[in-house]
Amino acid sequence: MTRFGAMYGPDITFLGVPPCDLDERSTWGDAQVVILGAPYDGGTSYRSGARFGPKAVRQACYLEHEGSRPSLALGVDGLLDLRVKDAGDVMMFSGNALEAHAALEEAVNTISAAGKIPLVLGGDHSIALPNVTGVARAVGWGRVSVVHFDAHADTGDICHGSLIAHGQPMRRLLESGAARSDRFLQLGLRGYWPGPETLEWMAEQGMRSYEMTEIVERGLEACLAEASRTALDDCDGVYLSVDVDVVDPGMAPGTGTPEPGGLTSRQLLDAVRRLAYELPIVGVEVVEVAPGHDHADITAMLGSRIVLEALSGIARRQAEETGHVESWDRGRPLLEQYDAVRRDSNRRRRGATQG
């Protein structure tokens, strides 16, 4: 796809990272992560507006948009260290689900087949179907596990007469075989949907769904640890799907189907960071940011920070694997950790000079 830019508003990139064109491999060949916008909300069943999510997430930050964001917690700069590029929006007319999803799947597959990580800014959650499918075509059919943060299971069958909507993508994925049902982990479910018939179907597939009552009773840390172990078992990569409505609407009002009683924004950011640091991530999506229902950019800012935590976690994992920094200690004081990173950097610099 020739770079389309932005479907809505000015052609800006995520926090100022360099733009690229998927049709021109030379513009993104050095990147490890390529961002795509998926401005589609034709699958919403309640409040629309997520088509404007990519624009809102790209620009939601009070710091300069200069393509750099060093993480205080992790001591890395996910945008620079991973050489993140932004390919702009995929053209997705919300009145034609099949055509819109096909265009997105092809773009995601182009990135994944090149050995890069696609990071998709939604858009409603129906885009999980083309996103995970595009990654699975490259990484391996049925070889991708999915960790899914959401208030809703998204495993419905038919919505308003359609098989494609934001309450159905996970069922369609499992039916196709693109993702494994026994390596499909859901965290944050709550409320009053789905009903018994759908829950029975989920149980038959061997899915693992952590409803908020279990998370509160056992603790989020324990549930995340268990989910990580399961996701790593007999799969070649992990796809991270984050619906902002997993967070309590008091902290994330700008979404299409708000459900009270969710995670705090702090819990979600910590969880995303941890999973991106611990797991071999092959794709990420942040969906259901609907800025028209937001207040003071609260939800858009959260979406931006989810992206940054994911990138920072991936960058820290990579830095440790290449021996550039020592293992991350979450309990270590900030300045001690900064000092250790600085010493590691100086040691590498001296080694390069002496070599």
Side-chain angles (χ1 to χ4, degrees), residues 15 32 61 63 88 102 107 113 119 133 150 161 188 198-199 201 210 220 244-245 249 251 277 293 326 355:
L15 303 186
Q32 293 178 261
C61 191
L63 297 170
L119 195 157
T133 301
D150 205 325
T198 301
L199 293 173
W201 181 89
Y210 296 84
L220 181 58
V244 294
D245 74 17
M251 295 184 177
Y277 170 68
H293 306 292
E326 61 188 40

Side-chain angles (χ1 to χ4, degrees), residues 111-188:
I111 296 166
S112 190
K116 318 298 184 181
I117 298 174
L119 195 157
V120 184
L121 308 177
D124 71 46
H125 217 161
S126 69
I127 67 169
L129 176 57
N131 287 342
V132 179
T133 301
V135 170
R137 283 171 50 197
V139 175
W141 203 252
R143 301 299 302 170
V144 177
S145 62
V146 177
V147 178
H148 169 209
F149 288 91
D150 205 325
H152 311 99
D154 292 353
T155 50
D157 192 7
I158 298 175
C159 177
H160 303 318
S162 176
L163 293 171
I164 301 176
H166 70 168
Q168 283 72 40
M170 308 317 175
R171 182 183 285 242
R172 302 287 90 89
L173 279 173
L174 300 185
E175 289 174 338
S176 73
R180 284 177 54 171
S181 57
D182 61 346
R183 297 294 179 270
F184 206 104
L185 298 312
Q186 301 182 309
L187 296 112

Side-chain angles (χ1 to χ4, degrees), residues 67-87:
S68 172
R69 283 298 182 274
S71 167
L72 281 176
L74 290 168
V76 293
D77 189 327
L79 298 182
L80 288 180
D81 294 348
L82 299 177
R83 299 184 296 280
V84 177
K85 301 288 182 69
D86 191 331

